[in-house]
Amino acid sequence: MKVLVTGANGYIGRNVVQLLASIPNIEVIASDISNSNLPKSINFINLDILKEANNPNLFEILGSPDKIIHLAWKDGFNHFAESHIQELSYHFNFLKNMINSGVKSISVMGTAHEIGYYEGEVNDETPCNPLSYYGMAKNMLRQLLFTYTKDKNISLKWLRAFYITGDDKFNNSVLTKILEAAQKGKKVFPFTDGTNQFDFIELNELSKMVVQASIQDKVSGIINLCSGEPKPIKDVVESFIADNGLDIKLDYGAFPSRRYDSPVIFGNTEKIKLILDLNKDNKIR
């Protein structure tokens, strides 16, 4: 089985690539504009897939993959970057090109920010009202892909990731900012009231879920990649400070919560639990 990973050098991609490489009978093809974070043994294709989105030979250039895990996305940590909107059509054209070339299994990284302001459990039927350019673009890409593949024999998996922690020096989360502030010698970090409750998922666990969901085709559609258990952000941050021995305190209430941050939001885990059970013999490390 040939599996192409786009955005392979990124925050999630480099972990997904290495996990895939550990599975017997899977040939990994990694594509990105840089391979600085990837093992030299990985089959790497240096290519800007968005610029080549309409290239009729792109499928062959990318090694004629059987499955695609599409993680490539610019400015993912900047929710109001205009690039999200400007590059949306290129993502769609790239995936449409791959589908028309014969790829039957495609997994695409989504985000909880597609939902917008919402309180409670998120499932397949939860309405989406995104409030950031990032959420809007991801939501539109999902709608376009499901509409385009509606009458096609395609296993399309929309991998909706929730709030990611881990490998914080490569992240751009509030944990990363606190780590950077502490390293600069700052003793106080301005914060919200910390009461919002989010569904946090650690990067290594998320990467395993991405791989397990993508290599199977029995479960498709929207698949939440999450813990299913909301935690107050202040608890997560205070634990991070303690676990890392940081000499810094939070200034609660210095900032208001972002208008698109829900009071309590978490994902339904039925599909990912079913997938993990189906793939329980895969000893992904």
Side-chain angles (χ1 to χ4, degrees):
M1 182 194 301
K2 290 184 179 180
V3 181
L4 168 68
V5 181
T6 70
N9 195 56
Y11 177 59
I12 300 173
R14 55 204 173 90
N15 294 278
V16 167
V17 164
Q18 294 190 58
L19 287 171
L20 281 169
S22 73
I23 304 175
N25 302 318
I26 286 185
E27 179 182 341
V28 184
I29 305 168
S31 179
D32 210 323
I33 57 175
S34 169
N35 66 343
S36 58
N37 296 315
L38 296 174
K40 300 305 179 185
S41 59
I42 294 295
N43 179 11
F44 178 74
I45 299 174
N46 189 324
L47 188 71
D48 187 334
I49 58 167
L50 299 188
K51 288 183 178 179
E52 299 291 333
N54 294 311
N55 187 330
N57 301 314
L58 187 56
F59 176 71
E60 289 78 16
I61 292 171
L62 291 171
S64 303
D66 301 300
K67 296 178 182 288
I68 293 176
I69 304 176
H70 185 55
L71 305 178
W73 198 275
K74 183 180 178 182
D75 297 326
F77 295 122
N78 182 355
H79 294 171
F80 285 92
E82 293 186 4
S83 58
H84 299 310
I85 305 301
Q86 293 165 346
E87 297 186 350
L88 171 59
S89 62
Y90 297 107
H91 287 278
F92 177 62
N93 288 339
F94 163 69
L95 293 167
K96 183 172 68 171
N97 189 344
M98 295 298 98
I99 291 167
N100 293 343
S101 297
V103 178
K104 298 296 184 183
S105 178
I106 292 180
S107 301
V108 183
M109 182 56 68
T111 172
H113 292 291
E114 301 161 41
I115 303 298
Y117 190 90
Y118 183 80
E119 192 165 355
E121 183 185 71
V122 172
N123 58 37
D124 290 18
E125 306 303 320
T126 301
C128 293
N129 183 30
L131 297 172
S132 66
Y133 293 165
Y134 177 55
M136 291 172 187
K138 286 284 190 178
N139 187 57
M140 179 58 74
L141 180 60
R142 176 180 54 79
Q143 292 174 317
L144 288 166
L145 288 172
F146 278 105
T147 299
Y148 186 71
T149 60
K150 180 167 59 73
D151 298 319
K152 293 178 171 59
N153 182 27
I154 299 291
S155 176
L156 176 59
K157 285 146 287 193
W158 186 261
L159 309 179
R160 182 176 281 160
F162 279 65
Y163 294 80
I164 310 170
T165 64
D167 210 355
D168 296 290
K169 66 179 180 178
F170 291 102
N171 200 337
N172 196 37
S173 69
V174 66
L175 301 181
T176 306
K177 292 178 172 63
I178 290 171
L179 185 63
E180 291 171 347
Q183 290 172 343
K184 291 177 181 177
K186 295 183 179 179
K187 301 299 182 182
V188 178
F189 187 86
F191 201 55
T192 66
D193 63 14
T195 58
N196 295 75
Q197 296 185 47
F198 300 138
D199 192 330
F200 294 94
I201 181 74
E202 199 274 331
L203 177 61
N204 289 329
E205 290 303 310
L206 174 74
S207 301
K208 291 176 184 178
M209 289 179 179
V210 169
V211 171
Q212 296 282 31
S214 300
I215 63 176
Q216 60 81 44
D217 291 318
K218 292 183 179 179
V219 181
S220 59
I222 298 172
I223 302 170
N224 290 327
L225 306 186
C226 58
S227 69
E229 299 178 2
K231 295 180 181 179
I233 189 170
K234 65 179 180 180
D235 292 354
V236 173
V237 172
E238 291 285 7
S239 293
F240 176 79
I241 290 172
D243 291 345
N244 287 275
L246 303 181
D247 184 19
I248 194 167
K249 302 292 184 183
L250 298 177
D251 180 12
Y252 287 108
F255 290 125
S257 297
R258 296 176 300 190
R259 65 186 181 89
Y260 56 92
D261 280 339
S262 308
V264 181
I265 188 169
F266 57 101
N268 179 286
T269 59
E270 289 180 9
K271 282 188 174 180
I272 191 59
K273 285 181 177 178
L274 175 58
I275 289 168
L276 295 177
D277 185 60
L278 289 171
N279 290 346
K280 59 187 176 184
D281 292 332
N282 285 328
K283 305 299 182 183
I284 296 179
R285 297 182 295 277

